[in-house]
Amino acid sequence: MKESKIIFGQMIDYFRRQNNLTMEELGQKLGKAKSSISRWVSGERYPKIEEIEQIANFFNTDIYTLIFGFNYNEDSKSDLLTVYNQLTDIRKHKVYSYAQQQLDEQLNDKSSIYVVGTSAAGEPIEYGDFDSEMIQTDVPAKADKAIHIKGDSMEPKIASNSIIFYHEQPTLEIGEIGIFEINGSAVTCKKYYVDYESKKIILKSINPKYEPMYFARDQVRILGKVVF
């Protein structure tokens, strides 16, 4: 499912660019907020099936291309099954084992990663301020996604205009550096703390010139833990 979300996001972004649309303009045409489009593109969220049909119709394509990408080909699929069905059970098992091995290697390939947008290292910034992209780079073993950092509040640990990596998870230990969604529409990178007396989330910078930020629990959603 996760791989399907990533492919779908890449296809949405491809067709958006082909039609010279910003995320905001695409959202307007589909009756969606820009933040919804950004989450589809990043692979964070997946639309409902009726929404996928609407998107396919809008871009004059089919839902299979949106979900599986341009490599989807019904004729190729049919040819492959025809050959496979002629094999003996032992050879079918060998083909299946090899295919599973190739899939595992593909899913564990850490030479590329999806950059989902930009996070503030200062005041939170709105989703979708920067386009998403796939990059080729050395990726930490536990990283699921990457994100641009804008601002110096996490310096010297994290430099402004750098790309950092994070592991998607809904919780953090006290003092860990995370990526946070604020009020459902903005994102920031900070160290995580909790004031148990006031029941507020405290997001702290490393750079001492920035004051801690306090939020009610329902204002903050943890997107993941930063990994190095």
Side-chain angles (χ1 to χ4, degrees), residues 84 88-98:
Y84 179 81
T88 64
D89 289 342
I90 292 177
R91 293 185 182 278
K92 284 180 180 178
H93 179 72
K94 289 181 178 180
V95 169
Y96 177 81
S97 297
Y98 178 75

Side-chain angles (χ1 to χ4, degrees), residues 8 32 40 46-55:
F8 179 81
K32 291 290 180 180
W40 290 350
Y46 207 59
K48 298 176 182 178
I49 185 62
E50 57 268 23
E51 292 174 327
I52 296 177
E53 292 176 349
Q54 177 192 6
I55 296 166

Side-chain angles (χ1 to χ4, degrees), residues 41-63:
V41 169
S42 71
E44 181 185 345
R45 299 286 172 84
Y46 207 59
K48 298 176 182 178
I49 185 62
E50 57 268 23
E51 292 174 327
I52 296 177
E53 292 176 349
Q54 177 192 6
I55 296 166
N57 290 333
F58 177 76
F59 287 129
N60 195 29
T61 185
D62 56 82
I63 61 174

